[in-house]
Amino acid sequence: MLFQDRATGYLLYDFLLDNELFGASQVLIGSASSKTAFGMAKLLHGDDSLNARLVGLTSTGNREFTESLGCY
């Protein structure tokens, strides 16, 4: 994973945390198989202080890979 992808995923994660997920109980992530989306999802999934459901959107061709990530 490139540094830029990790940094962008982290910044999105941090933004959501700073804003308390805007009161949401579910986070919908488009392009779920992308490095940026996966990085953010991994951080959100691993944060025990959050109780939000993560839903990943992806193409049929990337479904198996996305499901194997275990974050969505």
Side-chain angles (χ1 to χ4, degrees), residues 2 4 34 44 46 48 55 65:
L2 296 172
Q4 179 181 4
S34 74
L44 290 168
D48 293 335
V55 178
F65 167 73

Side-chain angles (χ1 to χ4, degrees), residues 7-60:
T8 304
Y10 175 79
L11 289 172
L12 291 168
Y13 161 76
D14 189 55
F15 177 72
L16 288 172
L17 281 185
D18 284 350
N19 292 285
E20 299 176 357
L21 300 179
F22 297 94
S25 60
Q26 178 172 281
V27 178
L28 185 63
I29 301 173
S31 300
S33 63
S34 74
K35 289 180 267 185
T36 297
F38 170 49
M40 178 182 63
K42 188 171 181 86
L43 290 166
L44 290 168
H45 179 74
D47 190 330
D48 293 335
S49 71
L50 300 177
N51 191 25
R53 179 175 178 224
L54 300 178
V55 178
L57 302 175
T58 192
S59 66
T60 302

